[in-house]
Amino acid sequence: MTEKGNQRIYGFDLLRIATMMAILYFHVWQYTFFQDVISLPPEISNYHNLTGWVGDTFKYGGLFIVALSFFLIGLKARTKQSMRFFVLIFGLLTLSISTASEPLNPATWDWDVYSYLIFSLLLVLALPRNIILRGALIFASTALLCVPFDQYESLLNIQNAVQFSGWNLVPWLALPVLFHSLAVVWSKKVPQTLKAIKNWEWPVWIGAIILMFVITPDYGPFPAGSGFEAYVFKLKPLMFWKHFLVFTFLMRASLDPRISTALGKAKGMQWFSNLAWNKHFGVAYFMHLAFLPMGLHFMDFWSQYTRAFEWLWLFIFVAVEIVVRSIYALQVAFKTKVVRLLS
């Protein structure tokens, strides 16, 4: 995705891939073992060595992707949403049907990330791009994300089945509204001269981040299995903002033209930004779900060659890249052929 004027935001590409790698890491573990703790012993596997870093750094990886994606959507005043809707709806139907106890009965389909994304996208696109309204929504959304989930649970009488389903609209609908509104205000009100980080911003950002790390209590190890959704989606505001403040700062730094230009000149950055995972993230994300059942089907193999399991998540990343690139290459070739036939 690009910023206004087709200028690539290279920092966003780095954040997207780094976050997706963490998501993929946990998805492989979840779909294979569905355990909260990595239990492969260190003498036969190094898989556990990444757990602390990935968990502590990207506890809210899915929410990071939502924030980044909706900010980019907000930067564009008018975009064609047909392909995005197609991917989301197709992904929603496929995911719901494949995980339902009765695939042909819509009543058994689960509310999941695709349902959440479609609802969120419809909402933000329906909102006027009025600066005053968006300013108010920024403050309101931030406030909603500061309220502990148990307060919503008590006030709205939210049932356990909803609490642990993940991607619940309360309070997480505030997240796409917040970052979409930030992008609208940024694109309309931030002149080019203010896009570079000012000297006074550094102590504000760094001081706030240090403060959050100091005052945030330890909520225990990050679960990778059945406890994941309760840990992440039952909002603990201090833990949420501790990590989101860092991610938001990295987004802010990425928008600095000096930083973006420097990254663009770095060796290999153009190739990195052209990865299908960056250019066609929605399709790539949906595609990786098709590879996750490999972990279950190869359980006998993993028991004999445990170290091979460590490479499954990297294999899926590369395989999805190849498949999505091939799909779009075939699409271009097909369009070219059709144009030649018609001309």
Side-chain angles (χ1 to χ4, degrees), residues 282-300:
V283 176
Y285 185 91
F286 172 69
M287 187 65 64
H288 97 278
L289 300 175
F291 286 88
L292 293 178
M294 289 179 62
L296 287 172
H297 293 304
F298 284 88
M299 288 297 288
D300 292 337

Side-chain angles (χ1 to χ4, degrees), residues 120-139:
S120 299
L121 187 59
L122 289 171
L123 174 62
V124 298
L125 293 178
L127 291 171
R129 299 177 70 90
N130 178 276
I131 296 298
I132 297 177
L133 172 63
R134 292 310 185 109
L137 287 174
I138 289 171
F139 285 106

Side-chain angles (χ1 to χ4, degrees), residues 198-216:
K198 300 302 179 184
N199 291 334
W200 61 265
E201 286 188 66
W202 292 104
V204 171
W205 281 107
I206 295 173
I209 290 170
I210 292 175
L211 177 63
M212 289 302 298
F213 272 80
V214 170
I215 67 175
T216 303

Side-chain angles (χ1 to χ4, degrees), residues 32-44:
T32 304
F33 298 107
F34 203 60
Q35 295 177 345
D36 284 337
V37 180
I38 306 298
S39 57
L40 296 177
E43 62 269 17
I44 63 173

